[in-house]
Amino acid sequence: MDRAGLYHVNDGDALLVARVLGGDDDAYGILMARYRDRFGRYALHLLRDQGDAEDVLQETFVRGFRYLRHCENPGRFGAWLFRILVNRCRTAYRERERSSRTLVTAEHGPEAITRDGPAGSGWREEIDRALGHLPGEQREAFLLKYVEDLSYDEMEQLTGAGISALKMRVSRACKHLRDLLLEVYDGKL
């Protein structure tokens, strides 16, 4: 799915939404198929757990169906549903962080990024591991900017955060990632 399909008016989505609201539940399956892969990748990148990402994706589609009549602009269904996904990811992330804080002790802290990753670990795996060490808001902003390729205006609409805050989060995420990766590769970037 290209950016135009998600962030600009899409007459195909508007027609499918009208069909669903008219009682054609199969039309919602078409909408789900249209957005499943892209939304699933985003949830997995943000949550870093396949099971959590699948749960959030399923919750997103269920909520989208349940509240479809509240979608004010059916031609922008993709953006409306993505907003639900972002909010569900945030909730899942906060819940996981809250429960993990009670389990982490000084002796058994989070896994540190080391040069000794799993066998066959390459650059992409190191970046993925480093992304996992970013605070939630920084990781979200980084992924929206560089993985989803959104403008700051689009990010503002999705997250509710101001553009200056988003720019700061992206900047801090980039610096944090650079520092983590420099650590891993002994400054050989």
Side-chain angles (χ1 to χ4, degrees):
M1 161 106 357
D2 62 17
R3 287 182 52 174
L6 187 56
Y7 301 103
H8 300 292
V9 174
N10 182 327
D11 292 331
D13 281 0
L15 292 172
L16 288 167
V17 167
R19 284 177 46 195
V20 174
L21 292 174
D24 181 359
D25 293 345
D26 292 337
Y28 195 71
I30 296 169
L31 287 167
M32 286 174 46
R34 184 173 287 175
Y35 293 102
R36 177 180 304 281
D37 290 345
R38 183 171 190 178
F39 286 12
R41 277 192 309 274
Y42 176 80
L44 183 59
H45 279 298
L46 189 64
L47 298 172
R48 301 179 41 77
D49 180 88
Q50 185 71 37
D52 288 348
E54 289 173 6
D55 289 346
V56 164
L57 187 61
Q58 184 67 26
E59 289 174 28
T60 297
F61 287 130
V62 168
R63 284 177 185 257
F65 184 79
R66 182 178 299 146
Y67 298 107
L68 188 58
R69 68 185 177 284
H70 297 292
C71 180
E72 293 176 7
N73 185 347
R76 290 188 39 96
F77 170 80
W80 176 79
L81 191 64
F82 192 70
R83 177 67 187 235
I84 294 172
L85 176 72
V86 167
N87 288 334
R88 296 307 310 145
C89 284
R90 285 178 175 174
T91 299
Y93 183 80
R94 279 192 305 268
E95 288 171 357
R96 188 174 66 204
E97 288 297 305
R98 196 174 313 124
S99 67
S100 71
R101 273 189 224 125
T102 61
L103 300 174
V104 174
T105 66
E107 279 183 341
H108 301 94
E111 177 188 2
I113 293 179
T114 66
R115 191 173 193 141
D116 301 324
S121 177
W123 181 243
R124 186 177 180 103
E125 288 81 12
E126 294 298 345
I127 292 172
D128 188 49
R129 218 181 333 273
L131 276 170
H133 284 74
L134 292 178
E137 288 181 339
Q138 288 180 19
R139 181 170 48 244
E140 177 185 62
F142 182 86
L143 291 171
L144 289 173
K145 183 68 180 161
Y146 294 112
V147 175
E148 295 300 321
D149 196 29
L150 301 184
S151 70
Y152 283 107
D153 289 331
E154 292 166 333
M155 291 169 63
E156 179 181 42
Q157 289 175 358
L158 288 173
T159 64
I163 290 176
S164 61
L166 290 166
K167 286 181 177 181
M168 181 60 69
R169 290 174 190 171
V170 169
S171 175
R172 287 181 178 164
C174 289
K175 182 185 180 326
H176 198 170
L177 282 172
R178 179 173 164 69
D179 291 346
L180 288 169
L181 293 170
L182 281 170
E183 236 178 76
V184 170
Y185 289 98
D186 300 322
K188 298 185 190 229
L189 286 179

